[in-house]
Amino acid sequence: MADDIVIIVGSALVISGAISRSGITDVALRGLKPERRGPRTQLLILVAVVALLSAFVKNIGALAIMIPVAMQMARASNVSPSMFLMPMSFASLLGGLMTQIGTSPNIIVSRVREEITGAPFTMFDYTPAIVGLLFLVFCYKLLPARSSADRALHEAVAIKNYTTEAAVTEQTLAAAGSVGALQKFGSGNAMIIAIIGEGGNKRAPLPDNTLKLGDALLLEGEQEALDKIVSQGKLKLKAQGDAKPASTAETGAVEAIVGENSRLIGNSAKDLYLLHNAGLSVLALSRRGQRFVERLGDIKIRNGDVLVLQGHLKTLPDLLREWDCLPLVQRDVRLGSVRNGIVPIAILALAMAGTAFGGVPVAAAFFAAAFLIVVTGAMPLRDVYSYLDAPILIMLAALIPVSDALRTTGTTDVIAGLLSTTAAVLPPYGALALILIAAMAVTPFLNNAATVLVMAPIAATFADKLGFAPDAFLMAVAIGAGCDFLTPIGHQCNTLVMGPGGYRFGDYWRLGLPLSLLVIAVAVPMLLLVWSV
């Protein structure tokens, strides 16, 4: 569990979760306008951005930034995230191949070449990955549609048409001065159903109606869309009950169904003094098949209503039992929660800069970033465990000793000897393809850096025995070590998307095998052409 790969993946999951919570992805999505594009165009954008970022920064960092954006796009397009995430992981690996600093195999191979010839590879000597990226965009349908268990459970108990109330602030007027401009933040999944001015006068929520400071807005829609309108429109949520917990770090929200014997039935939030005494607030209410016209605090609660309640995390479970309210499946209820916007992005950028220019190990940099995210409040400590995908981390930790055993028992040496014997009777293109395939085959069991350390000397020896320059063979090792598309364990990027994408172990070869064959078919003639043997 102390292995660098486990620490990197675990930290990246926390970082990605914090970016998702921050709301910064919503800003990125508004610029991309995913609702105007088809899924294939969205996938093209995602793989291109991930590949470009991965060429210059650590590929797992680039992927961590873009996973929340992909999840948002998938929801907006009503497609499974599995359509986007594995192609993005593979794109991050291909992107890392494009420059000397993109991935550790390239750096190691460059060092080996310098030891052999006296000159390292330069920044852009490496084989382009454009063909592979195009394959990912057009052949994504090889993947089965998957949903993570959490996502499937969320959809099974999804609640529509929550009603909540919020007040217009000065920041709201700067962000959106009209009803129509404000509703755009909800992406069509939430709307303003009433405007209540001073003195209780109601105005029709026509799109061109101008908002005024202090207006109370009655909002209806999906919880996530309501959250976007409140947070991005800079509204002030008018919680009924005015709970004042000790600190925001101790505050949480929960969705609960009102039971038939609940003391809440027949009362409104304004009537319930027990809410004040318990430090609870009603953030929103949902009732199947009904649209409300009265203010949130005036709605009489009925049996079967779903309430979003905010309060002290330690007392919420006991209070729900006391009032005969059944909590729904736990999920991230963000309505009215405090988020720190740009902080997670800044922390991740600092970590990646440290690895690129400061010589900081990746594991240390990513762990420090996850730690800073918690310390700065960008993610509450209690939420960290919900983003750490324990089965994935345990699988990694269990298989790392298997990789070590292959090396320490001499298995890799036996394989190297067999390759050497076989390659001696092959033509140049056959020997080059064999080195490339061998590097691809070894990488899932060793990490990519170890693969290069094992295979690069073998490749250089091949070239010398066959009377060829070592460049093409060293490049083949770098490409093979960087193209682990067959399993979720060979590279941390593949592991990172396994949980959010709902993938199974055997899903990777569906897209990874044809992509690997394509890389071989393109790389071998390109290497022979560019690095003449």
Side-chain angles (χ1 to χ4, degrees), residues 341-366:
I342 200 69
V343 172
I345 292 288
I347 291 174
L348 178 57
L350 185 64
M352 291 194 296
T355 61
F357 306 109
V360 181
V362 178
F366 272 65

Side-chain angles (χ1 to χ4, degrees), residues 19 62 114 169 182-183 186 199 256 271 348 364 371 400 410 412 414 417 430 435 477 514:
I19 293 171
E114 184 176 17
T169 67
L182 186 62
Q183 288 189 151
D271 298 332
L348 178 57
F371 176 77
I400 286 169
T412 53
V414 172
I435 289 293
V477 171

Side-chain angles (χ1 to χ4, degrees), residues 192-376:
I192 301 169
I193 58 176
I195 305 173
I196 305 169
E198 293 183 5
N201 297 321
K202 288 187 177 181
R203 304 199 308 275
L206 300 175
D208 294 335
N209 274 9
T210 302
L211 299 174
K212 298 178 181 179
L213 184 64
D215 279 347
L217 305 180
L218 201 60
L219 305 169
E220 183 185 82
E222 298 177 1
Q223 185 265 130
E224 185 175 346
L226 292 174
D227 176 64
K228 290 180 181 179
I229 289 181
V230 171
S231 61
Q232 297 175 27
K234 310 299 181 184
L235 297 170
K236 182 179 180 181
L237 204 62
K238 300 190 71 173
Q240 305 301 315
D242 298 325
K244 303 293 183 184
S247 71
T248 55
E250 299 171 346
T251 305
V254 65
E255 293 168 300
I257 300 175
V258 177
E260 59 181 354
N261 298 318
S262 175
R263 288 185 288 161
L264 303 178
I265 296 174
N267 295 295
S268 67
K270 286 183 178 178
D271 298 332
L272 293 169
Y273 291 105
L274 73 167
L275 290 177
H276 297 266
N277 297 334
L280 273 181
S281 300
V282 178
L283 298 183
L285 185 149
S286 176
R287 182 177 300 160
R288 181 180 292 273
Q290 184 166 340
R291 170 171 289 178
F292 298 103
V293 293
E294 59 264 55
R295 302 185 69 165
L296 179 62
D298 297 328
I299 298 172
K300 298 293 184 180
I301 298 171
R302 295 181 185 175
N303 176 27
D305 284 350
V306 179
L307 304 176
V308 178
L309 297 169
Q310 184 184 58
H312 200 292
L313 288 170
K314 291 183 179 180
T315 60
L316 264 174
D318 292 334
L319 290 173
L320 292 176
R321 284 193 296 270
E322 180 183 344
W323 295 337
D324 190 27
C325 291
L326 178 67
L328 292 177
V329 174
Q330 184 171 347
R331 53 195 180 197
D332 189 15
V333 180
R334 298 191 297 170
L335 187 59
S337 61
V338 177
R339 275 151 286 176
N340 291 320
I342 200 69
V343 172
I345 292 288
I347 291 174
L348 178 57
L350 185 64
M352 291 194 296
T355 61
F357 306 109
V360 181
V362 178
F366 272 65
F367 183 81
F371 176 77
L372 285 174
I373 279 172
V374 176
V375 169
T376 57

Side-chain angles (χ1 to χ4, degrees), residues 93-235:
L93 302 184
L94 291 170
L97 294 175
M98 293 193 293
T99 64
Q100 184 182 23
I101 63 172
T103 185
S104 51
N106 290 2
I107 298 173
I108 297 172
V109 161
S110 179
R111 187 184 68 192
V112 172
R113 182 181 190 253
E114 184 176 17
E115 292 172 355
I116 295 173
T117 67
F121 288 118
T122 60
M123 177 67 80
F124 298 102
D125 276 347
Y126 297 82
T127 302
I130 295 175
V131 174
L133 298 180
L134 292 175
F135 170 84
L136 293 173
V137 171
F138 289 99
C139 297
Y140 64 88
K141 290 186 178 180
L142 293 171
L143 286 171
R146 302 282 191 209
S147 292
S148 65
D150 288 343
R151 181 173 181 265
L153 197 55
H154 181 285
E155 291 172 350
V157 294
I159 304 298
K160 302 291 186 181
N161 298 326
Y162 273 116
T163 298
T164 191
E165 187 175 331
V168 174
T169 67
E170 292 183 356
Q171 291 80 10
T172 304
L173 299 179
S178 67
V179 170
L182 186 62
Q183 288 189 151
K184 286 182 179 179
F185 293 124
S187 302
N189 296 318
M191 61 184 298
I192 301 169
I193 58 176
I195 305 173
I196 305 169
E198 293 183 5
N201 297 321
K202 288 187 177 181
R203 304 199 308 275
L206 300 175
D208 294 335
N209 274 9
T210 302
L211 299 174
K212 298 178 181 179
L213 184 64
D215 279 347
L217 305 180
L218 201 60
L219 305 169
E220 183 185 82
E222 298 177 1
Q223 185 265 130
E224 185 175 346
L226 292 174
D227 176 64
K228 290 180 181 179
I229 289 181
V230 171
S231 61
Q232 297 175 27
K234 310 299 181 184
L235 297 170

